[in-house]
């Protein structure tokens, strides 16, 4: 009777091994689902970035406002007839010294 019980126990363990630790086992499926969720999160971030870049490309192709804005911000260019005014912050230390003298 013990031989039957032990052989059944060994068969049960042999059947359970692929279910838990095999190629398509529960642990592998769980790990793959986690990887899929991480990749989906990355893909959604990249999709947002691509949508923004697509909008920028469309603006650059269709209108002059985006080109003009980039020229002003990145290169400091101005149109004809415009004046560039730059206001610098005052230095507090020099102001207090000037008022004390």
């Amino acid at each position: 009777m013990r031989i039957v019980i032990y052989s059944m126990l060994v068969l049960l363990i042999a059947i359970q091994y692929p279910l838990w630790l095999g190629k398509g086992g529960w642990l592998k499926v769980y790990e793959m689902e986690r990887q899929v969720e991480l990749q989906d999160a990355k893909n959604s971030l990249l999709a947002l970035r691509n949508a923004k870049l697509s909008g920028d490309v469309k603006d650059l192709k269709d209108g002059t406002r985006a080109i003009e804005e980039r020229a002003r911000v990145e290169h400091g260019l101005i149109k004809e007839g415009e004046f560039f005014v730059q206001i610098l912050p005052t230095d507090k230390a020099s102001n207090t010294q000037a008022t004390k003298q």
Side-chain angles (χ1 to χ4, degrees):
M1 186 69 172
R2 283 186 174 178
I3 294 175
V4 173
I5 293 174
Y6 288 134
S7 63
M8 290 292 192
L9 185 62
V10 168
L11 287 174
L12 180 66
I13 292 172
I15 290 173
Q16 291 293 314
Y17 176 78
L19 178 66
W20 291 98
L21 304 172
K23 185 177 181 180
W26 291 108
L27 296 176
K28 296 282 185 183
V29 169
Y30 175 74
E31 179 63 29
M32 290 295 211
E33 285 177 351
R34 241 182 73 228
Q35 289 178 1
V36 167
E37 288 173 3
L38 290 174
Q39 191 62 45
D40 283 342
K42 287 180 185 178
N43 287 350
S44 65
L45 291 174
L46 291 173
L48 289 173
R49 186 194 69 168
N50 287 347
K52 182 182 176 192
L53 289 174
S54 154
D56 287 346
V57 168
K58 183 180 176 197
D59 284 345
L60 289 171
K61 282 183 179 179
D62 294 341
T64 58
R65 280 184 84 187
I67 296 170
E68 184 179 326
E69 179 183 344
R70 282 187 183 241
R72 288 177 185 269
V73 172
E74 293 176 6
H75 303 291
L77 300 177
I78 57 173
K79 286 183 179 180
E80 265 185 53
E82 287 184 338
F83 296 100
F84 178 72
V85 178
Q86 183 175 9
I87 300 173
L88 299 174
T90 59
D91 187 20
K92 290 182 182 179
S94 65
N95 283 346
T96 56
Q97 288 176 359
T99 57
K100 286 181 182 179
Q101 294 175 0

